[in-house]
Amino acid sequence: MQLTLWTYEGPPHVGAMRVATAMEDVHYVLHAPQGDTYADLLFTMIERLPRRPPVTYTTFQARDLGSDTADLFKTACSQAYERFRPNAMLVGASCTAELIQDDPGGLARALNLPVPIVPLELPSYQRKENWGASETFYQIVRTLAGPHAPAPGSKRAPREAGVKPSCNLLGATALGFRHRDDVREITGLLNELGIEVRTVAPLGASADDIAHLGDADFNVVLYPETGAQAASWLQRFFGQPFTKTIPIGVGATKAFIAEVLQLAGLPADTPLPDSLSRSPWYSRSVDSTYLTGKRVFIFGDATHVIAAARVAHQEMGFTVVGLGTYSREFARDVRDAAKLYGVEALITDDYLEVEAKVAELQPELVLGTQMERHIAKRLGVPCAVISSPVHVQDFPARYSPQMGFEGANVIFDTWVHPLMMGLEEHLLTMFRGDFEFHDGAAASHLGRATAASAPARSEEVAADTTPETTPAAALAPPAASSAAIAVAQWAADAQKELQKIPFFVRGKARRNTERFAAERGLATITVETLYDAKAHFGR
């Protein structure tokens, strides 16, 4: 395991906690030492849940290692059952307790408790949080729905005449990015299409709901990271097909509707809901100077990254200059998506690599996790959060889905808000000499991210700190921008001449000039170099 100041994913038992906390009558007994008992903080502080997560710890200490820790686990199991009376119990070990090899599954089964026991073997030193959530949900479905599976080889009975088609929504968990609102949005959308949603799982599901997942006609996988493995098992054993389209963005939502209509056996010309998104018209109505072609860098979990890249390119008119994920299990999917935009995917769980890539690419907008929000703030670049991991401010009190037609509206507002629009640029240009509104003043939504906190590379950097044009590499710490620092130095008269260029294109002019000088091996950029570069790239 990599120890780091920030981490995109916790160990796999955190994923198991997310599934257990999402469900109604399941309890998780975790063999863990004192210090691994932080579930309360994750769910009550970050997600603001009004209840404690259903997790009981053995909480052994160093002095207990000389005695029988297995007996501690059996005692904790028995007490948890007597206190909470769950209808199913998950048992497993944290990353530290895994080294003791006490076999929580075998110990729990030996107690002969009158509820199903789901043993979780989550290799903490090879796997991480999303895999842990996926494996936990899969094991719950296998254990609880398995006894209800039809005999192998038998065909699924056709739906009776006059009965509405039905589906389950799979993948939403506790601590998920906008999962609660996505579920509400997609449930409403399916209901408008005449499709009944039987069960949402694991979010809000009971053990009995899981046992009867096979009653639905098909499954809708909202988040493949946590729901695809269980959906695949249900397809094999219950003959339930499942959706492949993630309804994020207007285009994907329409494709999703077509897919579910086909799976439900409904006419393809079923009228779409009246509440279509306003985002297509809004994106077309914005002056292209301030929206079309914005250079965007995207990083997060695979589901949201692939969807965000498609929305950015097809629906917002942005230029995708980089994308990546920390979800190594979906690296191939992200690489395939990157090829569509002519970029190389960044597959890493090291935020320093992500920071270096952002500094190198100098995007005008970053779409990412809470880590990318911090990175963008350090570099003075606008940012919007699109994926877990997230912090408390990304669990808003308002209704704020990412999926469906309303989700497309939310995405438009969220992504456009950090950008500097036409009137703001016009006013800043008009008052460029004013002590408060000069073009060296950072936009208010970025706080006081001014050049004072940046390396003293040149006076040009100090003046060119607007969020639309700030060279990210110039504001990055030396370790994160070593590739960008190796450029020609600007002469004083060239810096002065550069200031005469409108600041909303000044960043591009600066980059092109530095590239021109680097290709010709020039050590100093003069006024002549600036205009030679302008002539060269203006052909």
Side-chain angles (χ1 to χ4, degrees):
M1 297 175 68
Q2 180 181 5
L3 297 179
T4 179
L5 177 63
W6 288 341
T7 180
Y8 287 99
E9 294 183 89
H13 71 265
V14 172
M17 289 180 192
R18 288 173 51 194
V19 172
T21 303
M23 296 185 67
E24 296 295 330
D25 56 1
V26 168
H27 200 82
Y28 184 23
V29 180
L30 186 64
H31 202 20
Q34 190 174 27
D36 279 359
T37 55
Y38 47 79
D40 285 17
L41 291 176
L42 286 175
F43 298 100
T44 60
M45 183 185 76
I46 296 178
E47 194 171 2
R48 298 189 179 101
L49 290 183
R51 64 186 186 280
R52 288 192 62 243
V55 182
T56 293
Y57 308 92
T58 56
T59 321
F60 59 82
Q61 302 180 49
R63 64 174 177 267
D64 297 317
L65 295 177
S67 58
D68 189 357
T69 53
D71 192 54
L72 284 175
F73 180 82
K74 289 191 289 186
T75 300
C77 253
S78 299
Q79 291 176 346
Y81 175 75
E82 291 299 327
R83 179 180 178 185
F84 299 105
R85 294 288 174 168
N87 288 324
M89 290 185 69
L90 313 179
V91 295
S94 72
C95 45
T96 309
E98 184 183 331
L99 301 174
I100 302 175
Q101 299 182 332
D102 272 338
D103 185 20
L107 294 172
R109 280 192 293 265
L111 295 173
N112 293 317
L113 297 174
V115 293
I117 301 294
V118 183
L120 301 177
E121 295 184 6
L122 307 177
S124 300
Y125 300 93
Q126 290 83 37
R127 299 289 189 168
K128 294 194 174 180
E129 180 179 331
N130 280 342
W131 183 90
S134 174
E135 178 69 12
T136 299
F137 184 42
Y138 163 67
Q139 293 295 348
I140 291 174
V141 171
R142 262 188 65 169
T143 302
L144 301 181
H148 302 272
S154 59
K155 290 188 177 181
R156 185 177 182 84
R159 186 172 67 249
E160 295 181 9
V163 176
K164 291 174 63 174
S166 62
C167 69
N168 304 309
L169 303 188
L170 305 183
T173 69
L175 211 66
F177 180 62
R178 308 294 168 82
H179 285 194
R180 67 187 182 193
D181 295 342
D182 287 346
V183 164
R184 174 180 159 188
E185 179 69 17
I186 298 305
T187 299
L189 175 62
L190 292 170
N191 288 339
E192 288 188 70
L193 294 171
I195 301 171
E196 176 190 356
V197 175
R198 283 182 176 268
T199 299
V200 177
L203 187 64
S206 66
D208 186 65
D209 291 333
I210 299 295
H212 293 93
L213 284 176
D215 294 346
D217 296 317
F218 64 96
N219 290 309
V220 171
V221 177
L222 296 181
Y223 311 99
E225 285 87 351
T226 51
Q229 187 179 9
S232 180
W233 185 86
L234 288 166
Q235 183 178 46
R236 292 196 309 274
F237 286 86
F238 286 87
Q240 291 175 304
F242 62 92
T243 59
K244 309 298 191 300
T245 306
I246 308 301
I248 297 179
V250 173
T253 299
K254 291 181 178 179
F256 170 79
I257 289 173
E259 185 178 16
V260 296
L261 289 176
Q262 181 184 12
L263 294 179
L266 296 175
D269 59 353
T270 298
L272 294 178
D274 294 331
S275 55
L276 293 176
S277 176
R278 289 180 292 273
S279 65
W281 166 242
Y282 274 43
S283 62
R284 290 196 299 270
S285 69
V286 175
D287 190 328
S288 62
T289 303
Y290 307 108
L291 192 62
T292 304
K294 292 294 184 187
R295 304 171 72 255
V296 60
F297 175 85
I298 307 169
F299 194 88
D301 68 45
T303 294
H304 288 92
V305 161
I306 294 171
R310 182 177 57 249
V311 173
H313 176 73
Q314 296 180 2
E315 300 180 19
M316 304 284 281
F318 293 155
T319 299
V320 178
V321 297
L323 80 164
T325 184
Y326 56 80
S327 304
R328 294 187 181 276
E329 292 84 2
F330 292 83
R332 179 177 297 177
D333 298 328
V334 175
R335 288 193 177 101
D336 289 343
K339 292 175 184 176
L340 300 175
Y341 312 104
V343 299
E344 183 178 353
L346 176 64
I347 312 298
T348 183
D349 58 1
D350 185 345
Y351 69 92
L352 292 176
E353 288 187 40
V354 179
E355 182 170 3
K357 180 59 71 173
V358 174
E360 174 192 338
L361 294 174
Q362 302 179 11
E364 295 165 285
L365 176 67
V366 172
L367 303 175
T369 72
Q370 66 165 332
M371 259 77 97
E372 282 65 51
R373 174 166 49 207
H374 291 303
I375 289 169
K377 193 172 291 186
R378 280 169 53 85
L379 302 180
V381 181
C383 179
V385 174
I386 63 161
S387 163
S388 294
V390 293
H391 210 351
V392 62
Q393 61 264 57
D394 293 304
F395 290 94
R398 69 187 183 281
Y399 179 57
S400 185
Q402 298 291 287
M403 293 185 175
F405 293 122
E406 184 59 27
N409 291 334
V410 172
I411 286 173
F412 178 86
D413 291 342
T414 304
W415 294 8
V416 170
H417 176 73
L419 298 175
M420 188 179 296
M421 306 303 283
L423 180 60
E424 187 178 4
E425 286 188 343
H426 175 71
L427 291 174
L428 285 175
T429 300
M430 183 183 297
F431 295 102
R432 63 189 301 170
D434 187 275
F435 77 97
E436 185 177 2
F437 296 106
H438 63 86
D439 62 355
S444 59
H445 67 272
L446 292 177
R448 300 190 177 275
T450 63
S453 61
R457 178 180 153 193
S458 68
E459 294 178 11
E460 185 271 327
V461 171
D464 190 17
T465 55
T466 58
E468 287 286 282
T469 58
T470 300
L475 293 176
S481 58
S482 57
I485 292 176
V487 296
Q489 297 297 311
W490 285 76
D493 58 344
Q495 293 176 17
K496 194 171 182 180
E497 193 70 17
L498 185 66
Q499 296 303 302
K500 297 179 182 179
I501 299 174
F503 67 83
F504 48 86
V505 294
R506 191 184 304 149
K508 183 176 181 180
R510 184 192 63 78
R511 291 193 297 271
N512 285 345
T513 304
E514 291 181 349
R515 176 182 163 191
F516 179 84
E519 289 174 350
R520 285 154 182 75
L522 302 177
T524 303
I525 295 174
T526 64
V527 175
E528 290 75 16
T529 309
L530 177 62
Y531 283 97
D532 287 345
K534 179 182 178 182
H536 173 76
F537 289 104
R539 292 171 186 167

